Amino acid sequence: MSEPTAEQPAVVVIGAGIIGVSTAYHLATRHHLQVTLVTDGNPVSGASGRSLSWLNTAGATSIRTPEYHGLRLAGMERYRALSGDPASARFLRFDGGFTWADPGESFKARHTAEVDVDYPSEWIYQDQVAERVPGVAADVVAPEGGILNPNEGWVDLPGLAAYLLPRFVAAGGRIVANAGTWNAEVASGRVTGARSSQGQFIPADRVLIATGPWTPALLGELGVNVPDSTPMSLLIQAAPAAAPHPLRAVLNTPRVALRPAPGGLFALDSDWATAGVEVDEAGRFHVDRAVALEQLDEARAVLAGNPRLEIVNIWAGMKPVPGDGDPVLGPVPGIEGLSVAFTHSGATLALLAGELLAGELATGVPAQQLETFRLSRFAQGPQASVAFTGRSDGIRKVKG
């Protein structure tokens, strides 16, 4: 690859989660820059590897701002464009999403709010479930019914990364993996490159920090405050013990969220189960197997035929959520050439955010779609903080 010129900056992307991968991919393939993607482990081995990866903006503006709803809609459209490539069928599906309320509650108002902003939303009654959402145990659905969002889907982020990274490398991109912790190097108010905890230095004109839940700590080392509401997450991958199951939609139920996964598997997620995760002094995560088995039982209960499920993998770790719940995307005030990507909705936003951040890093021209989501919206300084009181995503905080 030729040396960068003043008009062709060298870029280092720190963090090979799905937003880092997407940004590096767009920088190399669309803008033809010299790009190095660095990570302390393997690509998509952190939060992206244990994400439910539900493509949605469920609840529309009833649980998030109009700007965030619009950004997620645009993010979903990028995936629809990608779904035109037959190769994407291995990791990307749009088979809808289905949700119903806890006993004694109702989602009718949520459905109305979705319809009011033209988000595809259908109310289906309990006796319609078997036909409209194959694979669901209709008798566990609330008698009033629930919401079917036919345009929603899911993406397997390791599969997406496996699709993007070879194209990134073919375009001249470089991956440096398993090389220690990285952070931006700053001198006289601007980035000069990235340095690893092992001493390796890569010079660069621009650096993106996209390290998921570790982003606030890295920026903190540079004197930059990022309000942080990062919680624990637990994802279980399970397999039907017998025949493949007919479920195709993503389910968001009172006790468990689940979706199909490549290879005939299921991915299971529920916030109450994180109470069964402990972190030892070395920072290792330990999952109470009894809690994992309880989550497995909750999944069986909502699947038609109550199939026996077997645990394939259990992943626990931190789930990145900014202090006010909205994404933090774009330049870091006060440090020229430094940008950040810190957001919970990494799956839904990955392709779009990577495209927009790459455009900003390559050209210096701000992306208007990201103006609401800048770090500058937070007061800076050692005492700055924001308490997050809303929901971090479309999945309810299900009760234990």
Side-chain angles (χ1 to χ4, degrees):
M1 178 182 293
S2 61
E3 290 298 314
T5 66
E7 293 76 29
Q8 185 190 35
V11 184
V12 172
V13 176
I14 301 176
I18 198 59
I19 289 186
V21 167
S22 175
T23 304
Y25 163 82
H26 283 96
L27 282 164
T29 61
R30 178 172 295 196
H31 300 282
H32 310 292
L33 300 190
Q34 176 177 313
V35 188
T36 305
L37 177 65
V38 302
T39 175
D40 63 347
N42 292 312
V44 199
S45 60
S48 293
R50 57 178 183 271
S51 169
L52 187 68
S53 308
W54 170 24
L55 303 178
N56 79 96
T57 180
T61 56
S62 65
I63 60 173
R64 58 179 56 93
T65 64
E67 293 82 6
Y68 192 11
H69 169 60
L71 191 70
R72 291 172 70 112
L73 277 177
M76 292 169 68
E77 287 306 308
R78 291 300 189 277
Y79 280 104
R80 288 201 173 279
L82 178 60
S83 68
D85 182 345
S88 72
R90 297 191 301 269
F91 57 83
L92 175 63
R93 302 292 300 178
F94 281 97
D95 293 317
F98 182 52
T99 185
W100 62 91
D102 293 281
E105 299 181 9
S106 175
F107 278 173
K108 282 292 184 73
R110 174 167 160 172
H111 167 61
T112 299
E114 291 179 347
V115 171
D116 286 346
V117 294
D118 297 321
Y119 186 62
S121 181
E122 303 175 25
W123 191 266
I124 62 173
Y125 294 94
Q126 189 183 52
D127 61 1
Q128 298 174 290
V129 169
E131 179 182 356
R132 299 298 309 279
V133 196
V136 176
D139 59 329
V140 303
V141 176
E144 73 162 4
I147 301 172
L148 174 64
N149 299 114
N151 283 15
E152 294 178 354
W154 58 268
V155 59
D156 178 73
L157 294 181
L160 174 60
Y163 176 91
L164 297 177
L165 286 173
R167 291 162 172 80
F168 165 69
V169 173
R174 183 165 69 115
I175 302 171
V176 179
N178 298 298
T181 301
W182 292 81
N183 204 352
E185 191 97 334
V186 178
S188 302
R190 68 161 294 115
V191 296
T192 59
R195 188 177 299 276
S196 80
S197 57
Q198 298 177 0
Q200 183 177 359
F201 177 71
I202 301 175
D205 306 287
R206 292 165 192 173
V207 173
L208 172 70
I209 295 177
T211 54
W214 297 277
T215 297
L218 292 183
L219 287 176
E221 293 177 3
L222 303 175
V224 178
N225 176 73
V226 183
D228 183 16
S229 289
T230 292
M232 184 72 70
S233 70
L234 172 66
L235 190 81
I236 295 177
Q237 190 179 63
H245 196 270
L247 181 73
R248 295 292 177 267
V250 181
L251 303 184
N252 181 13
T253 85
R255 288 282 293 173
V256 65
L258 71 156
R259 65 160 173 86
L265 305 179
F266 291 112
L268 319 178
D269 181 303
S270 55
D271 286 346
W272 61 265
T274 61
V277 181
E278 294 184 353
V279 186
D280 65 22
E281 293 181 355
R284 294 182 294 254
F285 295 88
H286 302 273
V287 179
D288 184 336
R289 189 167 180 84
V291 173
L293 291 174
E294 183 180 355
Q295 186 168 339
L296 212 65
D297 287 341
E298 297 291 351
R300 292 184 62 241
V302 300
L303 293 171
N306 304 123
R308 186 163 68 88
L309 300 176
E310 298 175 344
I311 293 176
V312 176
N313 287 300
I314 300 176
W315 294 292
M318 307 309 293
K319 175 168 57 179
V321 179
D324 62 358
D326 279 7
V328 177
L329 301 167
V332 174
I335 303 180
E336 185 179 352
L338 182 63
S339 292
V340 60
F342 178 47
T343 179
H344 170 52
S345 49
T348 299
L349 297 182
L351 292 178
L352 175 66
E355 174 188 323
L356 296 176
L357 289 167
E360 291 189 337
L361 289 162
T363 68
V365 178
Q368 290 302 309
Q369 283 175 280
L370 299 182
E371 283 307 302
T372 304
F373 307 104
R374 303 305 193 186
L375 178 58
S376 57
R377 72 180 183 269
F378 299 114
Q380 292 298 305
Q383 303 301 316
S385 65
V386 174
F388 176 54
T389 58
R391 286 191 275 195
S392 63
D393 58 15
I395 301 174
R396 78 197 79 219
K397 302 301 179 187
V398 291
K399 296 181 283 292

